[in-house]
Amino acid sequence: LPARQLTALIWPGKAHPQGATYDGDGTNFAVFAENAERVELCLFDDEGFEIRLRLPEVTAFVHHGYVPGIQPGQRYGYRVHGEWNPSVGMFYNPSKLLLDPYAKAIEGEVECCDLVYPHQKGHPGRIDERDSASAVPRSVVVDDAFDWGDDRPPLTPLFESVIYETHVKGISMRHPDVPEQLRGTYAGMASQPVIDHLKRIGVTAVELQPVHHFVSEHTLHEKGFVNYWGYSTIGYFAPFSGYSSSGDRGGQVSEFKLLVKELHAAGIEVILDVVYNHTGESGPEGPLLSFRGIDNPSYYRLDPSDRSKYVDYTGTGNTLNVRHPQVLKLIMDSLRYWIEVMHVDGFRFDLASALARDLHEVDKLAAFFDLIHQDPVVSQVKLIAEPWDVGDGGYQVGNFPTLWSEWNGKYRDGVRDYWRGSDWMLADFASRFTGSSDLYGFAGRLPHASINFVTAHDGFTLRDLV
């Protein structure tokens, strides 16, 4: 319904599942905000008119309510009320419209302007009370229904896998045989010319650089640049709308599902490069887009000596707080969603060591890995770690648990050095080439725990190297 026609009717609804859940008659909204005083659901019509409804119930810090008549395609966001005190990590500012952390689709982009910041420019301690709604994206209600037909996962064993890291936009943007209107999109990658190319070179799995909805960092905005690679996530359930040829009011969800279905039909698995270690909200002076404004002390690791600052193991300004039960739940819910609803076949975890830091030291027995190990859904797909981060002790090649494979950085370095003529690397090359048993030959790990690669999106290509 147009927002002007909505009544103020909102029922208590349910605390689970979180996010916006359409049931055929209306939609349930639920969002975790442990430190908030109250949460307002903001509904927008096609002209941008906004109606605000306070979520009436709180269960275990989850604010929730049910609105009858709300259909798929409805745009919404949250305004969260609470303490404004950046010195202790509290950034509650109801003037700023926030994305749902569980949004399954996101419409629009972040505008490069001062409205997206919680504070006045140049004065981090002073609240900015200007409305940000005109400058930030909207969450979108989605219907999960999709005709999967006889879709089946290829289930290629790791020891037979040829994994091809690629970028959804890049792989089809300049392909002469892909229809011009589909280039750079999920549909473009699902087109026959791209699939034929992948099969011709022997690929058994594509590893897609991030397709979780992402934003351009504020430092890039200020320079007039945009983020191409995608390692700046703001929505862990939503396919990036910029890769959609079907619009951004939910069409991106169906189009991504079609990509998976077509690749599976060709015998090719889909592995997602996922960034659960940080978000696109950057450091303390970054924008207020979602997590920071909903519950900053819960979602992020704050510096215990100065809670106005973040612990930064990622080099991006913030680190997700995987020690908090809600953050662990968010990650696990996201992983299960992409497996069960979107039918993907595995994940490559960016800067995975950051997920293992229960306190400061990297701990392979951290709660995150315990959850993965016992989960009946997530434990059954391909799990690949980028086994390092930028913090002290973050280089952990060979130290991940038994279910995990790893990008073997020592294989990359040894093979590349041997390739460019370093004879003294011969012994190391031999060890890497024959399975890296010094790294994986213990604790039940087999040679296919090593993902052997010589180049990726980080660093020089072999052509550049030699």
Side-chain angles (χ1 to χ4, degrees):
L1 293 174
R4 291 179 181 82
Q5 297 180 23
L6 288 170
T7 68
L9 177 65
I10 183 168
W11 301 342
K14 301 178 181 178
H16 180 80
Q18 291 183 42
T21 306
Y22 172 67
D23 65 3
D25 295 316
T27 300
N28 190 80
F29 297 89
V31 59
F32 176 90
E34 180 175 354
N35 294 285
E37 294 173 2
R38 68 181 188 276
V39 176
E40 289 179 309
L41 168 66
C42 306
L43 302 170
F44 294 86
D45 68 12
D46 289 340
E47 286 74 44
F49 181 84
E50 176 184 354
I51 186 170
R52 303 179 188 180
L53 303 174
R54 179 176 178 173
L55 295 179
E57 294 288 335
V58 183
T59 304
F61 304 123
V62 176
H63 298 246
H64 54 92
Y66 179 91
V67 186
I70 296 297
Q71 302 290 310
Q74 173 67 53
R75 295 172 296 169
Y76 72 98
Y78 293 116
R79 298 184 187 272
V80 185
H81 298 254
E83 180 182 3
W84 169 264
N85 189 350
S87 66
V88 296
M90 293 291 194
F91 289 95
Y92 288 113
N93 183 348
S95 299
K96 308 304 176 182
L97 183 71
L98 304 174
L99 289 168
D100 182 355
Y102 277 71
K104 294 176 180 176
I106 294 174
E107 177 199 52
E109 300 178 356
V110 178
E111 298 293 331
C112 182
C113 68
D114 295 343
L115 295 179
V116 301
Y117 299 101
H119 53 268
Q120 297 175 22
K121 188 173 183 179
H123 301 282
R126 299 181 189 172
I127 192 169
D128 185 328
E129 295 183 336
R130 295 176 297 169
D131 195 324
S132 71
S134 64
V136 294
R138 310 282 193 261
S139 305
V140 180
V141 176
V142 168
D143 185 352
D144 286 332
F146 180 78
D147 181 8
W148 283 102
D150 59 354
D151 180 69
R152 296 288 186 275
L155 298 177
T156 307
L158 261 175
F159 66 86
E160 294 180 355
S161 293
V162 178
I163 301 171
Y164 185 84
E165 185 191 46
T166 190
H167 187 283
V168 168
K169 183 174 183 178
I171 195 171
S172 64
M173 192 64 193
R174 299 175 65 184
H175 197 301
D177 297 328
V178 174
E180 189 170 351
Q181 70 274 17
L182 299 182
R183 293 179 188 174
T185 69
Y186 301 117
M189 187 174 179
S191 66
Q192 201 59 47
V194 174
I195 291 177
D196 288 346
H197 168 68
L198 294 171
K199 290 181 68 66
R200 184 166 57 249
I201 62 175
V203 168
T204 69
V206 289
E207 182 179 292
L208 302 181
Q209 291 190 262
V211 298
H212 288 169
H213 196 91
F214 63 89
V215 294
S216 295
E217 296 84 341
H218 67 289
T219 53
L220 290 180
H221 267 308
E222 292 168 356
K223 297 176 182 177
F225 299 149
V226 296
N227 184 316
Y228 173 77
W229 299 111
Y231 294 87
S232 194
T233 305
I234 201 64
Y236 289 110
F237 295 77
F240 180 59
S241 62
Y243 299 154
S244 172
S245 67
S246 309
D248 57 5
R249 292 283 287 273
Q252 63 267 50
V253 180
S254 296
E255 191 170 323
F256 180 86
K257 290 176 178 178
L258 179 63
L259 168 61
V260 175
K261 183 178 178 180
E262 293 297 328
L263 288 170
H264 281 181
I268 298 172
E269 294 183 308
V270 178
I271 298 171
L272 300 187
D273 191 343
V274 290
V275 187
Y276 294 112
N277 55 77
H278 73 278
T279 79
E281 290 186 303
S282 303
E285 296 188 9
L288 201 71
L289 302 175
S290 182
F291 307 93
R292 176 180 288 133
I294 291 173
D295 203 323
N296 188 61
S298 296
Y299 280 111
Y300 293 114
R301 295 193 66 159
L302 305 185
D303 186 336
S305 64
D306 183 354
R307 292 179 64 81
S308 70
K309 300 178 180 178
Y310 295 104
V311 176
D312 184 8
Y313 294 120
T314 65
T316 66
N318 67 65
T319 304
L320 272 181
N321 183 17
V322 292
R323 300 175 300 175
H324 194 286
Q326 170 59 27
V327 179
L328 287 171
K329 175 177 171 54
L330 171 83
I331 295 173
M332 296 303 296
D333 286 348
S334 171
L335 292 170
R336 282 190 291 266
Y337 175 79
W338 286 94
I339 297 167
E340 295 181 319
V341 178
M342 308 296 263
H343 286 207
V344 305
D345 305 285
F347 305 94
R348 177 264 188 191
F349 292 79
D350 181 73
L351 299 183
S353 292
L355 301 172
R357 293 182 182 270
D358 264 2
L359 294 173
H360 173 72
E361 301 295 330
V362 176
D363 179 5
K364 70 178 181 181
L365 300 179
F368 172 72
F369 296 106
D370 289 343
L371 288 174
I372 291 284
H373 194 88
Q374 61 79 39
D375 190 275
V377 175
V378 183
S379 64
Q380 300 305 303
V381 301
K382 290 180 170 65
L383 303 170
I384 302 170
E386 181 184 30
W388 48 77
D389 62 24
V390 301
D392 292 340
Y395 190 79
Q396 293 292 321
V397 173
N399 291 331
F400 276 71
T402 54
L403 284 179
W404 289 73
S405 299
E406 302 172 14
W407 272 24
N408 188 346
K410 294 186 177 181
Y411 180 99
R412 173 198 59 199
D413 297 344
V415 171
R416 286 159 72 103
D417 255 1
Y418 179 72
W419 173 275
R420 68 185 181 94
S422 296
D423 292 340
W424 64 275
M425 294 296 295
L426 182 58
D428 186 58
F429 168 79
S431 178
R432 301 296 153 240
F433 196 70
T434 55
S436 297
S437 61
D438 58 323
L439 299 176
Y440 305 107
F442 62 94
R445 305 187 79 187
L446 296 172
H448 61 245
S450 173
I451 302 298
N452 300 324
F453 71 108
V454 291
T455 189
H457 65 274
D458 291 329
F460 292 114
T461 65
L462 278 182
R463 179 183 178 88
D464 292 331
L465 191 69
V466 299

